[in-house]
Amino acid sequence: MKNINWLLSVPIAHRGYHSLNIPENSIAAFNEAIKDGFNIELDIRKTKDDVLIVFHDNNLFRLTSFDKSVEDCSYSEIQKLVLNGSSERIPVFTDVLDYVNGQVGLLIEIKEHSNVGRVEELISQNLDTYKGNFAVQSFDPKIVRWFCKNRSSYIRGQLFCGLTGVKLSFLKQFLLQFLIVNLISGPDFISYNYIYLNCWIKFVSVIFRIPIIAWTVRDADTVRKVRQTAQNVIFEGFQYNNENFE
């Protein structure tokens, strides 16, 4: 039986507890989350020489001013870069695992990519020996399915966003809107954009006993509203005081 309570009972800091002076997905942001006892959400990408780094965007430009995609860079190129003009650098996944070392839980998002299996195997090689709490999640049901088949003991989540403004085939819209994609990916929880939470999502959650984590909430009032549907939230951009939501 999987222990998922840690994931549902402790708020999750989006890309670490970052701020104007502390870059997202940095060791400093993770340190702030640890100090306040928050779980950490982070993003994984692979360089062209198979190094796993913790970084959200496909392109490095927004955070480093270096205009190149992660997958086209070697790690030797990336390790020279600093985040938002700070002293923080893009961390390697193994260094983050060593730093967090089970002090708080980790919610690891695997960004969509081609040739599903290689990145997932590299991630698993590191997580198989990790002693702390962790869960993996992705928008791509094939990635979540890979973990279902190859690392069934891992807690895994299916990420969802709203369909407004998204051009998809009727079949894909149907599978996503009615969460039928869950039959493919076999998630232990749903990670859903809070803006699009509705009665149907709550109904599916109750019927199939799949908890909901809402992302990404940016103010305290929204946390209160979202908690009526979701079991937990991923948050950023404000000082989260859990006592205010009891």
Side-chain angles (χ1 to χ4, degrees):
M1 188 71 177
K2 296 179 184 178
N3 173 24
I4 198 173
N5 183 62
W6 65 269
L7 185 61
L8 304 178
S9 60
V10 179
I12 305 163
H14 188 230
R15 305 177 198 168
Y17 206 7
H18 60 92
S19 62
L20 288 176
N21 299 318
I22 300 175
E24 65 183 57
N25 276 328
S26 66
I27 293 295
F30 301 149
N31 181 60
E32 291 299 306
I34 291 169
K35 286 196 300 186
D36 283 1
F38 295 125
N39 289 326
I40 294 168
E41 186 269 353
L42 56 84
D43 306 280
I44 297 292
R45 289 192 180 274
K46 183 180 76 65
T47 66
K48 71 176 182 181
D49 50 350
D50 286 351
V51 177
L52 298 176
I53 63 169
V54 178
F55 197 78
H56 176 270
D57 298 0
N58 175 55
N59 192 288
L60 294 156
F61 183 78
R62 179 176 65 91
L63 290 175
T64 70
S65 298
F66 183 57
D67 192 6
K68 194 171 182 180
S69 67
V70 172
E71 63 185 8
D72 291 332
C73 289
S74 65
Y75 178 64
S76 62
E77 293 177 273
I78 288 175
Q79 68 181 152
K80 302 173 185 176
L81 305 175
V82 296
L83 294 168
N84 282 348
S86 70
S87 60
E88 293 293 311
R89 298 183 184 273
I90 299 172
V92 176
F93 182 48
T94 52
D95 290 342
V96 172
L97 293 180
D98 289 341
Y99 186 83
V100 176
N101 194 29
Q103 296 175 83
V104 296
L106 296 175
L107 177 54
I108 302 159
E109 179 180 344
I110 299 115
K111 310 307 290 186
E112 295 172 279
H113 57 271
S114 59
N115 300 319
V116 172
R118 175 59 179 162
V119 173
E120 292 70 29
E121 186 60 46
L122 290 172
I123 291 171
S124 299
Q125 289 172 11
N126 293 301
L127 291 177
D128 283 345
T129 57
Y130 185 65
K131 303 301 182 184
N133 288 322
F134 68 87
V136 295
Q137 64 175 2
S138 181
F139 281 104
D140 187 344
K142 295 189 298 297
I143 292 175
V144 184
R145 180 62 180 171
W146 186 94
F147 284 101
C148 181
K149 293 175 63 178
N150 296 280
R151 293 295 190 281
S152 60
S153 63
Y154 287 14
I155 299 169
R156 56 192 180 274
Q158 179 66 58
L159 273 157
F160 289 96
C161 190
L163 300 177
T164 304
V166 179
K167 294 183 179 179
L168 297 172
S169 68
F170 174 81
L171 177 59
K172 286 185 177 180
Q173 287 187 26
F174 181 82
L175 293 175
L176 287 168
Q177 185 171 354
F178 294 97
L179 304 185
I180 298 172
V181 72
N182 284 1
L183 299 176
I184 300 171
S185 57
D188 298 302
F189 66 94
I190 298 167
S191 194
Y192 214 98
N193 187 334
Y194 81 90
I195 296 172
Y196 302 101
L197 287 175
N198 54 41
C199 295
W200 167 254
I201 304 304
K202 186 172 183 179
F203 173 77
V204 171
S205 171
V206 172
I207 292 298
F208 292 99
R209 298 182 180 180
I210 300 177
I212 299 171
I213 297 174
W215 61 269
T216 297
V217 181
R218 293 178 172 85
D219 63 80
D221 287 341
T222 304
V223 171
R224 295 185 184 94
K225 295 175 183 177
V226 166
R227 277 193 162 187
Q228 297 175 24
T229 302
Q231 284 69 47
N232 201 5
V233 298
I234 299 171
F235 75 95
E236 74 172 6
F238 71 101
Q239 188 172 358
Y240 195 115
N241 185 347
N242 201 51
E243 294 178 357
N244 294 337
F245 307 110
E246 297 299 334

